[in-house]
Amino acid sequence: MIILGVGVVFLYSDYQLYRFFKSIDKGDWTVTKEYYDDLTPSQQQTAMSHMDGYAQELCREYANGDRTYQEVTASLDAINSLGNKEDIYNRRITEINYNELKGAVEALYKANTTYDTDGAVKAKNRIDDVQKRMDTATKESLLIQMLNDKYQEYLDCKIDESKMETFIGIVSGMS
């Protein structure tokens, strides 16, 4: 009976950490904050020591296509709700926003050059979603970087002048 009691005590500690990380996984920032507050100081320290790696794993899953932009940003919002991990949030959300914006602009570019109306609408919705999470200066910086990359493709003769002009039109419309 004593062994069972000791086992429950040790397992409950792990369970608390598990449900804390599961709430981040679900992007439920209010529950995440509650679960974090319920942890002991030692458990909080353990959780925080794993937070950067956990955020990195979220980004890897996004890059591999295992998670959507909305899922990852919700999880990052949950991490940000803890108050002492803004540096992780700011660094990771910038990476995610850049990749999502770049992918959405490329999808819009492809849709416009192939006259795919449905694809253009989906790409514009993605662009709108990501722009809601960016300040103007960051967005402008990312757009300039994308223009420079596309210009390099033009210089390398990978795309022709009309495709370059189409891309410039897309970026100008977003500025």
Side-chain angles (χ1 to χ4, degrees):
M1 190 62 136
I2 293 174
I3 295 173
L4 181 63
V6 171
V8 168
V9 169
F10 285 121
L11 290 177
Y12 185 69
S13 175
D14 289 341
Y15 172 72
Q16 285 181 305
L17 283 170
Y18 169 79
R19 73 179 187 165
F20 167 72
F21 280 104
K22 202 64 172 163
S23 68
I24 293 173
D25 200 43
K26 293 179 182 176
D28 193 348
W29 62 271
T30 55
V31 172
T32 297
K33 182 70 173 127
E34 288 175 21
Y35 287 168
Y36 181 75
D37 292 341
D38 289 343
L39 297 174
T40 66
S42 173
Q43 290 172 318
Q44 288 177 353
Q45 187 177 9
T46 299
M48 289 301 117
S49 70
H50 295 292
M51 201 56 64
D52 193 42
Y54 189 76
Q56 184 176 354
E57 178 63 17
L58 290 170
C59 292
R60 187 194 63 74
E61 289 177 2
Y62 166 76
N64 290 340
D66 298 333
R67 288 183 178 264
T68 66
Y69 174 75
Q70 288 80 11
E71 291 170 339
V72 172
T73 54
S75 293
L76 290 173
D77 287 343
I79 291 171
N80 195 41
S81 75
L82 301 174
N84 58 353
K85 289 299 177 184
E86 293 92 0
D87 59 326
I88 292 174
Y89 174 82
N90 291 334
R91 187 175 63 243
R92 300 299 179 191
I93 200 69
T94 300
E95 294 171 15
I96 295 294
N97 284 342
Y98 173 73
N99 288 331
E100 185 68 13
L101 184 64
K102 184 175 180 178
V105 168
E106 285 293 331
L108 182 58
Y109 167 74
K110 183 178 179 182
N112 284 351
T113 57
T114 60
Y115 306 103
D116 177 11
T117 307
D118 290 337
V121 169
K122 288 177 184 174
K124 287 179 183 178
N125 288 339
R126 284 176 61 195
I127 290 169
D128 289 344
D129 285 347
V130 88
Q131 286 187 67
K132 292 174 187 172
R133 292 185 159 273
M134 291 182 154
D135 59 43
T136 304
T138 302
K139 181 180 87 170
E140 295 297 325
S141 172
L142 295 177
L143 291 174
I144 289 168
Q145 187 176 350
M146 283 187 261
L147 271 174
N148 288 337
D149 292 345
K150 192 59 73 176
Y151 183 62
Q152 188 60 49
E153 286 181 32
Y154 173 72
L155 292 177
D156 293 341
C157 299
K158 293 180 181 176
I159 60 171
D160 61 19
E161 184 178 347
S162 68
K163 289 185 178 180
M164 184 66 196
E165 288 173 1
T166 301
F167 191 80
I168 290 170
I170 290 169
V171 171
S172 317
M174 294 174 59
S175 298

